[in-house]
Amino acid sequence: NPTKPIGHFMNKETAEQCAKDLGWDIVEDSGRGYRRVVPSPLPKKIVEIEAIEGMVKNGTLVVCVGGGGIPVVKDGNGYKGVAAVIDKDYAASLLASDLNADMFIILTAVEKIAINFNTKDEVLLDKMNLKEAEKYIEEKHFAPGSMLPKVKAGMSFAKSKKGGQALITLLEKANEGLAGKTGTIIYNEE
């Protein structure tokens, strides 16, 4: 389902030519021009997980799944790249689960998750269990292209282990969040 805009903006003529010549799916993007769109599937596997685990066990700081990672599919005995954008929050959650992390942390542009966001009834959440998170999702409290994937990724990690917890907060507040002074914790009661 190609819905994720990528690449540069094009005028209509160039966009139509790319669609014809290259088979690209093109959309008009917010009055700014035309852009290519590709699918944004959820990650199924971190291909390099064994190498990452080895480096982590040796005390190496590993930077990985940046931007969600490079999308590939199995091709014979190897892999080939595909035109897609892997969701970065889900990729990070999968990595944290695979590494059996103590906690999954998403650092973002808000200090705490809110319900009734940007209304007079806004409520900042210190914590929410999986059932509460599901209820808020059903009530459409989280924007699809913004907080919703972060909440779902946090839930995914919390579900992955007994007592699993995900913290969502500001980069500048990470230490305070880890100390339980701010941020929102999504937790598994089991």
Side-chain angles (χ1 to χ4, degrees), residues 55-73:
M55 289 186 281
V56 168
K57 286 178 183 172
N58 286 327
T60 303
L61 175 61
V62 183
V63 178
C64 50
V65 300
I70 300 169
V72 296
V73 293

Side-chain angles (χ1 to χ4, degrees), residues 19-96:
K20 180 182 172 199
D21 294 347
L22 302 171
W24 288 0
D25 291 294
I26 305 286
V27 296
E28 193 281 323
D29 190 351
S30 307
R32 298 177 291 178
Y34 293 80
R35 291 177 77 192
R36 181 181 184 192
V37 288
V38 297
S40 184
L42 298 181
K44 303 289 183 197
K45 176 182 176 183
I46 308 288
V47 175
E48 302 90 355
I49 191 64
E50 292 83 13
I52 295 167
E53 283 176 316
M55 289 186 281
V56 168
K57 286 178 183 172
N58 286 327
T60 303
L61 175 61
V62 183
V63 178
C64 50
V65 300
I70 300 169
V72 296
V73 293
K74 200 85 160 121
D75 184 31
N77 292 332
Y79 294 92
K80 69 174 183 175
V82 293
V85 175
I86 302 296
D87 184 279
K88 65 186 180 295
D89 297 315
Y90 285 100
S93 176
L94 177 59
L95 178 67

Side-chain angles (χ1 to χ4, degrees), residues 93-139:
S93 176
L94 177 59
L95 178 67
S97 295
D98 285 354
L99 293 174
N100 195 28
D102 296 329
M103 178 183 271
F104 174 49
I105 303 168
I106 296 178
L107 302 174
T108 189
V110 296
E111 187 170 342
K112 293 184 178 190
I113 296 173
I115 56 171
N116 302 313
F117 182 68
N118 253 355
T119 70
K120 63 179 177 57
D121 298 321
E122 180 176 281
V123 176
L124 299 177
L125 303 174
D126 295 324
K127 61 183 178 176
M128 64 179 156
N129 64 37
L130 296 172
K131 287 181 184 174
E132 291 168 328
E134 280 293 339
K135 176 179 169 263
Y136 296 144
I137 289 170
E138 287 175 23
E139 293 171 354

